[in-house]
Amino acid sequence: MMISLTNSTKISPLSPTSNDSPLNFLFLSSSSSNNNNKHAFQNRSSVSFGFGFPTKQYWRSCSSARELPHPQDPSQQHKKRQPKFKKNPSEDSSDKEKGVDPVGFLTKHGISHKAFAFFLRERYKSFKDLRYQIFNRHFNLQDLASGYELLGMHRNVQHRVDFMEWAPGARYCALVGDFNGWSPTENCAREGHFGHDDYGYWFIILEDKLREGEQPDEFYFQQYNYVDDYDKGDSGATVEEMFKKANDQYWEPGEDRFIKSRYEVAAKLYEQIFGPNGPQTEEELEEIPDPETRYKVWKEQHKDDPPSNLPSTHVIDNGKKEYDVFNVISDPVWYEKIHAKSPPIAYWLETRKGRKAWLKKYMPGIPHGSKYRVYFNTPTGPLERVPAWATYVMPDADGKQAFAVHWEPPPESAYKWKHRHPPKPKSLRIYECHIGISGQDPKVASFDDFIQKVLPHIKEAGYNAIQLIGVVEHKDYFTVGYRVTNFYAVSSRYGTPEDFKRLVDVAHGLGLLVFLDIVHSYAAADEMVGLSLFDGSNDCYFHSGKRGNHKFWGTRMFNYGDQDVLHFLVSNLNWWVEEYKVDGFHFHSLSSMMYTHNGFASFTGDMEEYCNQYVDKDAFLYLILANETLHTLHPNIITIAEDATLYPGLCEPTSQGGLGFDYFVNLSAPEMWLSFLENALDHEWSMSKMVSTLVGNRQNADKMLLYAENHNQSISGGRSLAEILFGKTVDRSSITKESLLRGCSLHKMIRLITFTIGGPAYLNFMGNEFGHPKRVEFPMPSNNFSFALANRQWDLLSKGVHNQLFTFDKDMMNLDEVERILSKGSGGLSTIHHLNDTTMVISYLRGPFLFLFNFHPTNSYPSYSVGVEEAGEYHIILNTDEKKYGGQGSINHDQYVQRTISRRVDGMRTCLEVPLPSRTAQVYKLTRILRV
């Protein structure tokens, strides 16, 4: 079918082709206006103005996904484009990918279990299928993880705001808010191509409003600079001045007229071929002359043209009277002149107006700070929801309602980043924090409070990373942050998005990495404030039926087999890295998502339990995809797995059959310490159980994160170690000297052995480093919403035993900072060479360091023999019994240097005979080697 171009008004500039999803034509203008407005014009230099339709050459020449905006429909992205491979990779019988072995880590560790190996191979095939499906729909991993550039609400360079939402179960979609009087009809998705597609993606345009007396922009390519410096782009040049300058400096005579109409070139070409009254339909189309005939006619028509008008061009004749119309020779002078010119971007940029010009001419369609919701009409009736991709949400006082807040601060108010990411350390000393309870006053603390009072303390304490819990917007304050409602929003309880950016930036300036405790294993079940029944259906983001509900926690379970859900979750991870520059993620409660029984089953350790019918393969594929995407896009990112079942291969490379995490959490350690303190007498503690629990599986110990206690007491009703050891207060007048000495000694020893015996990572919860005497309990109905236990008593830092415990903890952290203890030794691991349940003594080596622990409550050993490999002098560099740490100072300073004796002990060539008081620990360093 032929369509006439002689009258450009007959052609819609937005007519989609039959092979494209109708929303494709809207995405470029939407995506290019997000965080890259200052580059949007340059990136679209080879794209038509207006909605900016990309040419095929434009996309084909794109070398980096991060360089250009992506105008694709997230429901059917790049439907026509095929990945590099033509067939499903799982159909290839011989896997040609180098270095990929689906059961590689089993071979490495000598694990032989046929059923589990078969499961890993099948899982790898499924992942290849998933990857094939993803690359049929997304250009690359960056594209998959950048959904936030399209969905949600975004400023467009052409004085408007674009909104997109995924709600496949809805029949009608509109935005309601204080900006339109909460009207469900004023700002709705249009019917047909540009409002929604067949995959459930809805698109709404909120046009900025002309102020009274102002006229619309004359040229369709007019753009406004919203996010750069305040005055940048306000050159004052009129469009007429720009055209004159372009005519004088760039254009050949007459060329600029094509800029005013995008169809003039095509119309002139059509007219040249068919005449001014050419055929309007395919039936009227006559036979088109061959290229040679058309070329000769063209040359005859232009034989008298002046040289300055057109270049001297000729079609190459190969001597056989066969013309190659694609190989043209031209005047060399003209050729060099044309190719020496740069694209005319600079002229267009002169017409881009700054924010002042926009404010003068327009009022925002939705002002910064406006409250809004998305309105759906569904088969079960109308409903309002907080948009799933909202970046700032304000719950009301009782938590049953919430509003999204349009966050578009003016440039002078937007946060300007000052610091870079700190380098990735070889060992992690993580300080776990909750912003709300970080203050001393009985209230919810803010980001600003945390910046001023807590960050300096963390730096002084010697930690190199912070882990934040409860930062993502969640249902009810007392849920700590684990019933997430809005995955892209910083919790408004603590401040604004700009406040959180400042917190991260200040932390980076102090050399602290920032990790987020991310909850992708389940979500809040509340409908009005979360994703449950988001579009009126039960299967939008979550499984339907029983599988979609956690058996014990009343939360919703994601459907990891749905590509739109994967797009949402993977983009969410990338959002926190790109928008807030976080350095890593602690993946919370993986066992609840990896098994259909949500991890609430008795595990015996049989490998069959990791590959039976209760395993959710889709959840594993998501975790592999999440780790691959994060580590590909951000090579220095750190991911930590929290899995109570210690699934095999948590920290193995995905190419070797693992899940790709950098660290895993040993959850058995804090449970063991609680069990010892609450259920056993001091002399009944088992050294063998202590070591086996702390060291765990030696095959994975180099990736293990250990802690003695974390925030769990805040939601489990338990007590901190200090509360168990000292009671609710450490008052010397109400506690005996013996009890105080016991509590102080065990508190230090528990932390020191946990810190040094395991892998290269350690975690401490806020306040526990100085023996915070009270547990954490959030305000809730059962305690009359009291804040008495929802704070931290920082004033204790300067008092008695708390000051002594903090001094010890600082020196313990400094031990790793200076000596690199956690990253030294044989593969970074400790070698336990002395373990005696009778004497209750444990000794292990880690590189040039010797660690000695005497847990016996009464027995002291004046000269205890322990083996060492290297003969020489050993100096005590840390002693828990020093008086400045609240100890008795039983070891004299002249005993701090010990020389080895040539006698085999513990299977080693030499030994030390050292004083070892009860309930004390020492760290020795080999400072001088003696040759025997």
Side-chain angles (χ1 to χ4, degrees):
M1 184 175 73
M2 182 63 65
I3 302 175
S4 172
L5 293 176
T6 55
N7 185 352
S8 62
T9 59
K10 294 183 181 179
I11 305 298
S12 169
L14 302 177
S15 299
T17 64
S18 59
N19 291 328
D20 281 331
S21 175
L23 287 179
N24 279 349
F25 298 91
L26 301 173
F27 287 161
L28 180 59
S29 55
S30 172
S31 64
S32 65
S33 63
N34 185 24
N35 294 327
N36 297 317
N37 283 342
K38 60 183 177 181
H39 301 302
F41 203 100
Q42 293 91 323
N43 288 344
R44 292 167 56 179
S45 59
S46 58
V47 184
S48 301
F49 292 99
F51 278 88
F53 299 176
T55 63
K56 291 182 179 179
Q57 293 80 3
Y58 171 82
W59 289 107
R60 196 171 292 140
S61 63
C62 177
S63 61
S64 169
R66 301 175 69 89
E67 295 174 1
L68 301 170
H70 290 233
Q72 61 268 30
D73 178 356
S75 65
Q76 195 73 350
Q77 289 165 337
H78 300 285
K79 188 174 181 180
K80 294 189 295 182
R81 180 176 60 247
Q82 295 297 323
K84 293 180 180 179
F85 41 83
K86 296 298 183 183
K87 63 178 181 178
N88 191 322
S90 66
E91 297 172 2
D92 191 352
S93 57
S94 60
D95 196 337
K96 298 180 180 179
E97 298 178 68
K98 289 186 178 181
V100 174
D101 183 357
V103 295
F105 82 88
L106 295 183
T107 305
K108 181 176 73 172
H109 296 309
I111 300 174
S112 58
H113 191 277
K114 292 183 178 179
F116 190 64
F118 178 77
F119 173 81
L120 291 182
R121 294 185 185 279
E122 291 300 307
R123 190 180 74 188
Y124 179 65
K125 291 179 182 178
S126 298
F127 184 70
K128 291 178 75 175
D129 291 339
L130 174 63
R131 187 171 56 186
Y132 181 81
Q133 296 168 16
I134 288 172
F135 289 147
N136 266 330
R137 180 167 167 179
H138 299 274
F139 190 66
N140 51 24
L141 290 179
Q142 172 71 33
D143 190 24
L144 168 70
S146 300
Y148 53 83
E149 292 183 355
L150 301 176
L151 286 106
M153 194 167 287
H154 301 285
R155 167 60 59 184
N156 191 288
V157 293
Q158 292 173 328
H159 45 77
R160 72 171 199 254
V161 170
D162 297 335
F163 174 82
M164 186 175 292
E165 190 66 82
W166 180 59
R171 296 176 175 176
Y172 173 88
C173 177
L175 282 175
V176 297
D178 51 18
F179 66 98
N180 64 6
W182 300 93
S183 168
T185 58
E186 184 172 335
N187 299 103
C188 61
R190 294 168 53 188
E191 290 296 327
H193 292 310
F194 305 117
H196 63 93
D197 65 6
D198 295 334
Y199 302 92
Y201 285 86
W202 299 84
F203 188 80
I204 300 173
I205 294 176
L206 302 176
E207 296 282 356
D208 292 338
K209 301 170 185 176
L210 276 172
R211 296 186 184 274
E212 187 176 352
E214 295 287 343
Q215 297 297 320
D217 291 321
E218 182 180 355
F219 294 89
Y220 62 83
F221 55 77
Q222 181 65 67
Q223 295 183 338
Y224 288 84
N225 175 11
Y226 296 91
V227 297
D228 279 347
D229 294 336
Y230 190 64
D231 293 324
K232 190 174 179 181
D234 265 337
S235 67
T238 65
V239 176
E240 290 74 16
E241 291 171 338
M242 183 277 295
F243 276 129
K244 184 178 185 305
K245 187 175 181 181
N247 279 331
D248 295 340
Q249 300 178 6
Y250 185 86
W251 304 111
E252 295 300 313
E255 282 183 338
D256 66 323
R257 72 178 186 272
F258 299 128
I259 303 303
K260 300 177 182 178
S261 172
R262 70 182 85 178
Y263 302 112
E264 186 173 349
V265 174
K268 290 294 183 184
L269 179 61
Y270 183 87
E271 186 174 328
Q272 286 180 10
I273 297 176
F274 301 108
N277 299 311
Q280 303 296 305
T281 64
E282 188 173 359
E283 289 75 15
E284 298 178 17
L285 181 64
E286 299 176 357
E287 184 178 356
I288 302 176
D290 62 275
E292 180 182 350
T293 302
R294 297 203 309 272
Y295 170 67
K296 289 179 177 178
V297 171
W298 181 82
K299 289 296 291 182
E300 180 63 26
Q301 291 174 346
H302 294 278
K303 64 182 179 180
D304 298 326
D305 285 355
S308 62
N309 189 17
L310 292 171
S312 176
T313 57
H314 297 281
V315 176
I316 295 176
D317 180 1
N318 63 4
K320 298 180 181 179
K321 302 300 182 183
E322 294 179 4
Y323 293 93
D324 182 359
V325 296
F326 299 103
N327 196 353
V328 179
I329 59 174
S330 61
D331 178 34
V333 176
W334 178 87
Y335 184 85
E336 291 181 9
K337 177 183 177 182
I338 293 301
H339 281 264
K341 293 182 177 181
S342 300
I345 294 175
Y347 302 108
W348 300 119
L349 292 180
E350 287 197 30
T351 69
R352 184 173 63 171
K353 301 299 182 183
R355 189 174 180 85
K356 287 195 297 186
W358 170 69
L359 285 172
K360 178 183 177 183
K361 191 167 188 174
Y362 292 95
M363 293 183 294
I366 176 169
H368 167 61
S370 298
K371 294 181 179 179
Y372 69 97
R373 292 196 190 112
V374 61
Y375 173 95
F376 296 124
N377 198 341
T378 72
T380 57
L383 53 85
E384 292 181 10
R385 293 286 186 260
V386 175
W389 300 73
T391 60
Y392 192 39
V393 176
M394 282 191 174
D396 64 4
D398 58 9
K400 296 180 181 178
Q401 297 281 346
F403 305 94
V405 177
H406 178 51
W407 194 255
E408 188 187 13
E412 61 270 23
S413 300
Y415 187 78
K416 308 288 192 304
W417 294 93
K418 301 178 180 65
H419 305 286
R420 299 190 177 195
H421 295 268
K424 186 176 180 179
K426 292 184 178 180
S427 62
L428 289 177
R429 305 184 299 274
I430 304 173
Y431 195 86
E432 188 183 37
C433 318
H434 185 284
I435 302 295
I437 66 170
S438 65
Q440 185 159 324
D441 298 329
K443 66 174 186 177
V444 178
S446 67
F447 289 131
D448 191 58
D449 295 331
F450 187 85
I451 292 169
Q452 294 183 29
K453 300 175 182 178
V454 184
L455 281 181
H457 167 77
I458 299 172
K459 177 64 176 177
E460 179 191 358
Y463 292 83
N464 61 9
I466 60 174
Q467 180 171 299
L468 300 173
I469 61 176
V471 165
V472 185
E473 190 61 75
H474 51 279
K475 165 73 173 174
D476 299 322
Y477 184 52
F478 69 83
T479 61
V480 188
Y482 290 111
R483 294 189 179 181
V484 176
T485 54
N486 310 101
F487 286 80
Y488 286 79
V490 169
S491 179
S492 59
R493 296 173 178 88
Y494 317 126
T496 68
E498 309 307 305
D499 295 333
F500 183 58
K501 288 178 182 178
R502 189 163 72 92
L503 186 155
V504 175
D505 201 23
V506 172
H508 285 169
L510 293 172
L512 300 171
L513 300 178
V514 179
F515 300 153
L516 277 193
D517 200 24
I518 199 77
V519 186
H520 281 185
S521 46
Y522 53 85
D526 304 83
E527 297 174 19
M528 291 302 296
V529 295
L531 297 177
S532 187
L533 295 175
F534 182 71
D535 59 1
S537 67
N538 197 39
D539 54 1
C540 185
Y541 286 94
F542 308 108
H543 286 292
S544 57
K546 290 184 178 180
R547 191 177 177 187
N549 295 273
H550 196 287
K551 292 179 173 57
F552 300 98
W553 295 346
T555 51
R556 298 302 310 273
M557 306 306 296
F558 284 106
N559 179 7
Y560 302 102
D562 190 300
Q563 277 207 51
D564 293 293
V565 176
L566 293 180
H567 187 48
F568 177 83
L569 293 175
V570 175
S571 294
N572 184 239
L573 295 172
N574 195 34
W575 161 259
W576 290 103
V577 181
E578 291 285 358
E579 182 70 11
Y580 294 107
K581 302 190 184 303
V582 302
D583 302 284
F585 298 97
H586 178 280
F587 283 73
H588 171 76
S589 188
L590 293 185
S591 55
S592 64
M593 65 184 283
M594 295 193 303
Y595 309 96
T596 56
H597 53 59
N598 304 132
F600 284 82
S602 59
F603 277 80
T604 63
D606 190 333
M607 295 291 288
E608 184 71 26
E609 296 168 333
Y610 299 122
C611 57
N612 58 22
Q613 70 272 25
Y614 300 110
V615 172
D616 188 340
K617 185 187 293 184
D618 290 333
F620 282 100
L621 297 184
Y622 163 66
L623 293 175
I624 295 172
L625 179 64
N627 273 303
E628 281 203 357
T629 303
L630 282 172
H631 288 95
T632 298
L633 300 182
H634 311 285
N636 290 325
I637 205 76
I638 294 173
T639 57
I640 303 169
E642 180 190 291
D643 171 30
T645 68
L646 293 179
Y647 195 89
L650 280 173
C651 296
E652 299 293 342
T654 57
S655 61
Q656 299 299 298
L659 299 184
F661 287 95
D662 297 295
Y663 298 92
F664 74 95
V665 180
N666 184 342
L667 295 171
S668 301
E671 295 176 1
M672 178 198 68
W673 292 124
L674 284 175
S675 176
F676 278 171
L677 289 171
E678 293 182 331
N679 304 316
L681 298 175
D682 289 1
H683 65 272
E684 295 175 347
W685 288 18
S686 168
M687 301 298 102
S688 299
K689 179 180 179 181
M690 185 184 300
V691 169
S692 63
T693 302
L694 292 174
V695 172
N697 188 341
R698 297 293 293 185
Q699 295 170 343
N700 303 313
D702 60 331
K703 301 288 187 179
M704 182 167 59
L705 184 151
L706 272 172
Y707 57 84
E709 54 182 333
N710 72 342
H711 65 276
N712 280 338
Q713 63 266 25
S714 64
I715 55 177
S716 64
R719 296 180 293 169
S720 68
L721 298 187
E723 184 174 355
I724 297 172
L725 290 168
F726 301 120
K728 294 183 179 181
T729 179
V730 187
D731 185 353
R732 291 183 182 270
S733 62
S734 62
I735 188 171
T736 65
K737 181 180 178 181
E738 291 74 15
S739 296
L740 186 64
L741 180 62
R742 170 187 178 268
C744 188
S745 299
L746 289 178
H747 194 274
K748 290 176 292 185
M749 294 180 70
I750 287 171
R751 307 184 99 68
L752 180 61
I753 194 171
T754 305
F755 180 62
T756 58
I757 199 173
Y762 172 79
L763 179 143
N764 168 69
F765 182 61
M766 176 177 60
N768 289 345
E769 72 278 6
F770 62 84
H772 199 281
K774 296 182 180 179
R775 68 184 185 278
V776 178
E777 186 177 278
F778 284 80
M780 59 185 75
S782 61
N783 61 17
N784 271 337
F785 298 98
S786 169
F787 281 86
L789 297 176
N791 56 8
R792 299 280 87 179
Q793 295 177 261
W794 299 108
D795 59 323
L796 296 177
L797 274 169
S798 60
K799 300 177 181 178
V801 68
H802 297 290
N803 179 265
Q804 294 165 340
L805 292 176
F806 178 55
T807 301
F808 173 77
D809 198 81
K810 279 197 299 183
D811 288 350
M812 188 172 72
M813 294 300 111
N814 190 58
L815 198 63
D816 182 56
E817 178 68 24
V818 175
E819 304 290 355
R820 302 286 186 253
I821 281 182
L822 299 190
S823 55
K824 284 186 177 179
S826 176
L829 302 178
S830 58
T831 302
I832 293 93
H833 66 286
H834 186 95
L835 178 61
N836 193 318
D837 282 313
T838 302
T839 61
M840 298 184 71
V841 173
I842 299 170
S843 178
Y844 51 89
L845 294 164
R846 197 162 184 168
F849 304 98
L850 170 69
F851 298 84
L852 275 169
F853 292 83
N854 178 11
F855 278 94
H856 203 286
T858 56
N859 290 354
S860 297
Y861 308 104
S863 182
Y864 196 92
S865 297
V866 60
V868 291
E869 189 64 32
E870 290 284 353
E873 287 186 353
Y874 287 77
H875 288 232
I876 292 180
I877 59 175
L878 187 65
N879 176 17
T880 63
D881 195 41
E882 287 194 25
K883 291 183 178 180
K884 66 177 180 179
Y885 302 144
Q888 299 183 92
S890 303
I891 301 178
N892 298 324
H893 279 278
D894 59 2
Q895 297 176 293
Y896 269 43
V897 178
Q898 296 287 336
R899 181 170 290 195
T900 55
I901 300 172
S902 182
R903 186 173 78 243
R904 292 190 70 86
V905 175
D906 301 326
M908 297 188 174
R909 296 178 299 173
T910 60
C911 74
L912 289 172
E913 291 186 349
V914 297
L916 201 53
S918 64
R919 287 203 189 105
T920 66
Q922 293 83 40
V923 180
Y924 286 85
K925 180 182 179 181
L926 176 62
T927 57
R928 182 183 175 191
I929 298 177
L930 300 179
R931 300 302 176 189
V932 180

